[in-house]
Amino acid sequence: MKPYQSLNYFELLEVPHTATTEEILDAHRRQQEMYAPDSVALYVLEDTTQVEELRKLLTEAMEFLSDADLRAEYHQQLGLPPPGARPEAPVQPPASRAEALPPPRPAPPPPAPVQVEEAPKAGRESSIPGDEGVSAPAVRVRESRISRVEFSPDAEFNGELLRRIRESRGVSLQAMVDRTRISTRHLESIEADRYKLLPASVYLRGMLMSVARELGLDPARVARSYMDLAARASGPSSP
Amino acid sequence: MTVDDAEEASPYQGEAMPVAAVSKNAFPGSAARARPRRIIAVGGGKGGIGKSLLSANLGVALAREGARVLLVDGDLGGANLHTCLGMPPPSVTLSDFVQRRVATLEEAQVSSGVENLRVIAGAQDVLDAANMRYPQKQKLIRSLLATDVDYLVLDLGAGTSFNTLDFFLVADIGVLVLLPEPTSVENAYRFVKAAFFRRLLNVGMEMGVADLVEDALSTRDGNSLTPFTFISRVKRQNPEAGAAMERELTTFRVQLVVNQVRTGADAHVAQAVASAWKKFFGLEMEPIGSIPYDDDAWRAVRKRRPLLLESPDSPAARSITEVARRLLTLPGPPSAGP
């Protein structure tokens, strides 16, 4: 008997230890859809913050298990054969021990490409129409290799990059629509850099910040970067 | 207020012990006795979600696979299984047995018109069986358990009365029906939780912590407890009892069928419910089928014909046949041979 808080990453994603990275990304996508906020299956939950918490754990699980180095380390912690090893005698995680101990959650990973880390989710409701009330939090840069999509600290966030980051997190377009309440059409236009089809900049900015928040990126930076690109593309008046 | 309502108010009133405890232990050598190979109970907490339709057609499907099937309308007070099968109002019903107007369950059975499928129709008189008293229920359950057929399919009524829960708990295979709608999901959860806590009452009595279970069943605070939170509470007070209850939770398994599936998202509801209820409540649900919303099903009910006979190739009929085949592959009770 294990509540979600004490499940290991494999159990959270409901995949076997032998799952390939592809299967892990798939499982994460499926789980994100299952635990979308409007899922009818969650109707009986009294505490909806638990769903939010579970969704974060699922993403964390996907991020660790889809990174080769982190996954190898995690297998070691669980006493599993290394990932990719042909399982001659599949090793089950010792159930009783797993129950007694909290699930092994890896320590903060070793340094790797610099990535802009997530900003607080405050002001989510107010973020869509003119977001001036949402003060951009200071950019917190943390050493991490959570994302498989690498980009430099001064990367320009165009639609292509946003899409790749979204996909690397196993978030489907539909899941993004559900979570940000931005229409599929707008999200597609953002990701395809179809600037002409995008809404007025005051709305666009709010949308970009929502998307960034969902991806754990710095909302202000993403919005600024994207809108600079959009402005440059639509007129010669570059900054 | 019916007797049933009184039972709801206090778990003990009118009953020394939940029937499940008695009946499971009543036949220690049950493998050697004549008894159904499998008892399948179909419940769901809510009315109008297709329990009777599913039960009737499962009966037909299992009978067509060659099994000897007895369908029992356990919807005490709202019986209409015979209508789903296109049978005329039956001359003899379950209440004739409960009221001792017939001596054996055999005599209460009628032919369904389908080969290998016999039926015990439900009580037509609301007052009789719905208010069945404890000794009557004991006798009925013992007789059901001693029926010599391959499959006994119990169609349960709505609600979470003790009679309904006990029928669900004596089954080898508990099938929960739900619709992809909040009201149905809510009632289904209440039903499963009530059944599980009813089962815990047995453990509670054995381990001397029945009062904890009773509190959980009857107080407002208890109402918000999930199996997880309840068991961790028991563990703090009595680790041994908590461990025993934890074992109950891991062996408590419910088969899940989602009915009236209309959209692609609906089709994933069974998986989502199974995943979420396990992660949040500790309940093991096994999704065994999604039945599409199908006008043929509705037309069959209007015609008072079993869907499987009326439109065997309709999507709903095919899904029900698949559910029946899944049920045929499920392992049976540990005490009974294959």
Side-chain angles (χ1 to χ4, degrees), chain A residues 175-189:
Chain A
M176 189 58 100
V177 169
D178 293 342
R179 283 185 234 163
T180 58
R181 305 278 166 207
I182 301 170
S183 73
T184 316
R185 192 169 55 91
H186 283 328
L187 277 176
E188 279 173 349
S189 297

Side-chain angles (χ1 to χ4, degrees), chain A residues 1-5 7 11-14 31 34-35 39-46 50-51 54 58 99, chain B residues 180-183 185-186 189 224 228 231-232 246 249-250 269 271-273 275-281:
Chain A
M1 156 169 141
K2 286 198 268 180
Y4 71 95
Q5 297 94 331
L7 296 174
E11 293 166 329
L12 275 168
L13 291 171
E14 301 178 41
Q31 295 275 335
M34 277 192 213
Y35 292 97
S39 163
V40 72
L42 303 175
Y43 184 74
V44 292
L45 268 182
E46 298 208 342
Q50 289 190 323
V51 181
L54 175 61
L58 287 166
E99 209 159 309
Chain B
E181 320 177 330
T183 45
V185 171
E186 184 178 23
Y189 174 58
S224 66
F228 268 152
I231 292 174
S232 14
E246 203 173 322
L249 185 56
T250 52
V269 165
Q271 296 287 350
V273 164
S275 174
W277 292 14
K278 185 175 166 64
K279 283 178 177 146
F280 290 114
F281 309 137

